[in-house]
Amino acid sequence: MGFLFAAVQWRFINPPRLSFGLFVLFIFTSSVLTSSTVEGRIRHYKWEVKYEFKSPDCYKKLVIAINGRTPGPSIIAQEGDTIIVELKNSLLTENVAIHWHGIRQIGTPWSDGTEGVTQCPILPGDTFTYKFVVDRPGTYLYHAHYGMQREAGLYGSIRVSVKDGVSEPFTYDYDRSIILNDWYHKNTYEQATGLSSKPFVWVGEPQSLLIQGRGRFNCSSPILGSTNVCNSTNPKCSPYVITVVPGKTYRLRISSLTSLSALNFEIEGHNMTVVEADGHYVEPFVIKNLNIYSGETYSVLVKADQDPSRNYWAASNVISRKPATPTGLAIFNYYPNHPRRSPTSIPPTGPLWNDTSYRVAQSLSIKARQGYILPPPVKSDRVITLLNTQNEIDGYRRWAVNNVSFNLPHTPYLIALKEKLRHSFDQTPPPENYDYKNYDIYKKQDNANATSSNSIYRLKFNSTVDIILQNANTMVVNNSETHPWHLHGHDFWVLGYGMGKFDPIEDPKKYNLANPIMKNTVPVHSYGWTALRFIADNPGVWAFHCHIEAHFYMGMGVVFEEGVEKVGRLPSSIMGCGETKGFNRP
């Protein structure tokens, strides 16, 4: 009954929009229901975040673990459940914040977990409680959103199932979550120092690719100064094993939380049927391998229909950048073969890393599933074009949007706007476009003219907004990098992709308004553009940024505000930094 009371109590605090009579009837009915029929269970987690020595790819280094684990514990929930995470920061000398990637935080914008945007960071020794509702089924993630901590191992999976009695439009026998990642041996502070230095020191390519937190670095590599930090016989870095029963169908929830790399994932000899992307059902299509960008999640169906007398490789490979990182490997193990029996075949090498047309074609093939299509508004109220450029400011290398490099303020935007702290950030609106006619996206620009700012875009509540992401050349000749962009607090319709410079007159005529997929993360391909549409209907302040750790750290991001006056009273637990240090609220 304790759980029942808690569930009803939550409904009372956040009641649906019912007449008073219906609301009373709702409360009475809820109070006599058994726990098996109550919607919205409460799932309570207690996590401790701290540094520990781990060897995920055989190389021993400090990682940020949750309850001693990286990846951290998976959140397994059902649509409508309330998630409560009591997070203790035991990093001793370092702040922390966790973002619940793909969870829209409707009614709880302060739980988005974005330091500098929706909350002050959690100080060493403090415990902070996140509380939010997972309002729809799908595959989601959580990860650090303070500095570059994500790449230190602070991340995990969120799996939300459909309500009881609801069927999904596909069937499978087993459900597994797999996170793909890249892995650096240098710590985040060393990397951040190089990125912030003059001359600029790039982080380089990652040393390993991890599959569900496991990889294999060559311990005999000459780059190692000491061999005692690397042990190839350590069982903790043996390949991750996906054990399957012959003839059964598996739903693999494939997610990427890479710091830098775009990846291609495949299972040797097996087809994959894509059925879900970022929590939305996809019109099924069959592929041999899946291109996946940091922050994206996909569900694929794989049938164990190959020769069961042997095991197979599951492999991740770098795409879109010239690979300098070995293939990430896991074992697709047919029961009852020994799970540690390595396949005798050569691991898959994936498609050509620089085949942009192939990657764009796969992006274009992702459509909303028939019967589950929520059509977008036929037109937008506002169009914001974001040119992604690499720049320099006073000799420091930065990334920028429309030649403005983003900086987080000391006072989080949600607090500053709600409490009317107008001096906390730049009130000048950022640019909504760039010099479309004269800017050559294929040319290495001088780009020494950028500025930095912490200004934000103010969106009219309930308005429809189009975002055009335009890619261009970096400060290296003949180089344009793929950028995965993630929007907090929303899903958006992906209206189209294209190569070259976006034409504001002709290209909108080609938009897919019939069955566009909805996502929260999307790539903008090399020298290409991506068009998005969303409705600004979630009161709060939301980050929109490149999901590559170094790129966002170096300024590739923006922030949207919408309907902040509709946000309820802010909890005092999110305060304590910037201009909120003196706040003393109950």
Side-chain angles (χ1 to χ4, degrees):
M1 288 299 294
F3 143 60
L4 177 60
F5 174 76
V8 173
Q9 183 185 48
W10 184 89
R11 287 289 188 178
F12 184 80
I13 295 170
N14 299 273
R17 294 182 179 178
L18 304 173
S19 68
F20 180 76
L22 287 175
F23 176 59
V24 172
L25 178 62
F26 172 83
I27 292 297
F28 174 77
T29 305
S30 298
S31 68
V32 298
L33 289 175
T34 65
S35 61
S36 62
T37 60
V38 172
E39 291 185 11
R41 297 176 179 87
I42 293 179
R43 301 186 185 269
H44 204 141
Y45 300 84
K46 289 190 176 183
W47 290 355
E48 183 181 17
V49 173
K50 65 178 182 178
Y51 273 109
E52 298 192 11
F53 283 108
K54 298 285 185 182
S55 305
D57 69 342
C58 305
Y59 182 91
K60 184 179 179 181
K61 65 167 287 188
L62 276 175
V63 307
I64 301 179
I66 299 177
N67 297 348
R69 298 166 55 184
T70 178
S74 294
I75 291 178
I76 309 296
Q78 192 174 38
E79 179 184 0
D81 286 354
T82 297
I83 307 299
I84 300 175
V85 178
E86 291 184 45
L87 185 75
K88 181 180 180 181
N89 178 8
S90 294
L91 296 181
L92 301 180
T93 60
E94 193 171 339
N95 300 331
V96 75
I98 291 185
H99 169 54
W100 315 95
H101 184 113
I103 307 302
R104 293 176 292 179
Q105 300 294 347
I106 297 172
T108 53
W110 47 79
S111 282
D112 188 54
T114 314
E115 179 270 333
V117 178
T118 61
Q119 71 169 94
C120 291
I122 307 167
L123 301 178
D126 282 359
T127 297
F128 182 89
T129 299
Y130 290 100
K131 182 178 180 181
F132 54 89
V133 175
V134 287
D135 63 304
R136 66 212 162 102
T139 306
Y140 310 104
L141 298 161
Y142 66 82
H143 59 78
H145 218 295
Y146 178 83
M148 294 171 61
Q149 285 179 340
R150 190 182 83 220
E151 69 174 55
L154 207 174
Y155 60 84
S157 296
I158 302 174
R159 183 195 307 175
V160 183
S161 62
V162 296
K163 294 180 180 179
D164 293 338
V166 176
S167 298
E168 295 186 280
F170 46 83
T171 59
Y172 50 91
D173 300 298
Y174 299 100
D175 197 344
R176 306 276 175 81
S177 296
I178 299 173
I179 298 179
L180 308 179
N181 210 354
D182 49 12
W183 194 247
Y184 287 90
H185 292 167
K186 289 183 178 179
N187 63 51
T188 57
Y189 286 106
E190 189 172 358
Q191 292 191 41
T193 299
L195 296 174
S196 305
S197 297
K198 188 166 57 173
F200 173 74
V201 181
W202 175 235
V203 298
E205 301 300 317
Q207 280 66 61
S208 302
L209 298 179
L210 307 184
I211 297 179
Q212 197 55 22
R214 295 190 174 206
R216 181 61 62 92
F217 181 72
N218 180 8
C219 289
S220 62
S221 171
I223 68 172
L224 288 179
S226 172
T227 57
N228 63 0
V229 298
C230 196
N231 179 8
S232 60
T233 64
N234 188 339
K236 298 294 185 181
C237 62
S238 58
Y240 179 67
V241 178
I242 308 165
T243 298
V244 298
V245 176
K248 299 297 184 180
T249 299
Y250 290 79
R251 179 182 186 171
L252 302 182
R253 299 175 186 257
I254 310 296
S255 307
S256 173
L257 278 176
T258 53
S259 301
L260 172 67
S261 311
L263 297 177
N264 181 272
F265 178 81
E266 65 181 295
I267 300 173
E268 177 194 3
H270 293 72
N271 289 330
M272 297 184 288
T273 303
V274 180
V275 294
E276 179 221 348
D278 290 1
H280 294 276
Y281 296 132
V282 170
E283 192 63 28
F285 64 100
V286 178
I287 53 175
K288 287 288 186 183
N289 49 60
L290 174 70
N291 299 318
I292 185 167
Y293 307 89
S294 181
E296 288 191 311
T297 68
Y298 289 96
S299 284
V300 299
L301 302 183
V302 181
K303 187 170 184 179
D305 58 1
Q306 298 301 300
D307 180 0
S309 67
R310 52 162 297 202
N311 288 341
Y312 299 81
W313 291 114
S316 62
N317 285 283
V318 172
I319 53 173
S320 187
R321 302 178 67 87
K322 189 173 183 178
T325 309
T327 299
L329 295 174
I331 297 175
F332 199 70
N333 165 238
Y334 271 77
Y335 181 84
N337 298 332
H338 194 285
R340 300 303 179 196
R341 185 203 295 178
S342 292
T344 56
S345 53
I346 298 174
T349 57
L352 292 174
W353 69 271
N354 56 356
D355 189 348
T356 305
S357 60
Y358 164 75
R359 298 197 305 276
V360 173
Q362 191 170 104
S363 293
L364 286 168
S365 66
I366 303 170
K367 312 291 186 186
R369 186 164 184 140
Q370 294 297 321
Y372 296 86
I373 296 172
L374 178 64
V378 295
K379 62 180 182 178
S380 65
D381 302 302
R382 184 174 178 182
V383 178
I384 301 174
T385 302
L386 304 178
L387 174 70
N388 300 174
T389 59
Q390 196 176 56
N391 302 65
E392 283 192 353
I393 302 177
D394 298 328
Y396 291 94
R397 186 66 56 92
R398 300 285 293 177
W399 284 97
V401 175
N402 294 341
N403 282 326
V404 176
S405 188
F406 177 71
N407 287 320
L408 284 167
H410 294 297
T411 304
Y413 293 108
L414 180 62
I415 305 172
L417 288 162
K418 188 65 180 173
E419 303 295 335
K420 297 181 172 55
L421 305 174
R422 294 185 176 86
H423 300 294
S424 297
F425 64 93
D426 185 356
Q427 299 295 308
T428 305
E432 302 206 4
N433 213 318
Y434 70 104
D435 187 357
Y436 160 75
K437 292 185 177 179
N438 297 313
Y439 195 96
D440 185 351
I441 66 169
Y442 298 101
K443 179 184 175 182
K444 175 186 174 297
Q445 304 285 336
D446 176 32
N447 277 357
N449 60 338
T451 59
S452 61
S453 175
N454 56 22
S455 61
I456 64 175
Y457 293 91
R458 309 292 293 269
L459 307 179
K460 182 179 179 181
F461 189 67
N462 269 334
S463 64
T464 299
V465 182
D466 279 4
I467 303 294
I468 311 301
L469 293 166
Q470 176 67 64
N471 216 336
N473 205 91
T474 67
M475 296 192 77
V476 177
V477 175
N478 297 325
N479 178 59
S480 177
E481 300 188 12
T482 301
H483 301 286
W485 277 76
H486 171 58
L487 177 60
H488 294 224
H490 294 276
D491 293 328
F492 47 71
W493 290 275
V494 184
L495 301 184
Y497 300 87
M499 299 306 298
K501 187 186 291 188
F502 178 82
D503 186 323
I505 303 300
E506 296 302 321
D507 284 323
K509 298 175 183 177
K510 308 170 190 174
Y511 283 171
N512 175 15
L513 299 177
N515 58 350
I517 189 65
M518 295 191 78
K519 296 181 95 272
N520 61 65
T521 306
V522 68
V524 53
H525 295 285
S526 303
Y527 297 114
W529 57 266
T530 302
L532 319 173
R533 180 170 292 174
F534 72 98
I535 301 174
D537 59 357
N538 191 6
V541 188
W542 310 107
F544 182 44
H545 61 91
C546 179
H547 212 258
I548 293 173
E549 281 283 68
H551 291 187
F552 183 45
Y553 177 81
M554 295 167 63
M556 185 174 273
V558 299
V559 167
F560 298 125
E561 177 275 325
E562 61 204 60
V564 74
E565 70 281 357
K566 301 178 184 298
V567 174
R569 183 178 175 86
L570 301 180
S572 59
S573 59
I574 69 171
M575 303 182 188
C577 61
E579 293 189 32
T580 71
K581 286 181 179 178
F583 277 34
N584 184 18
R585 297 175 52 178

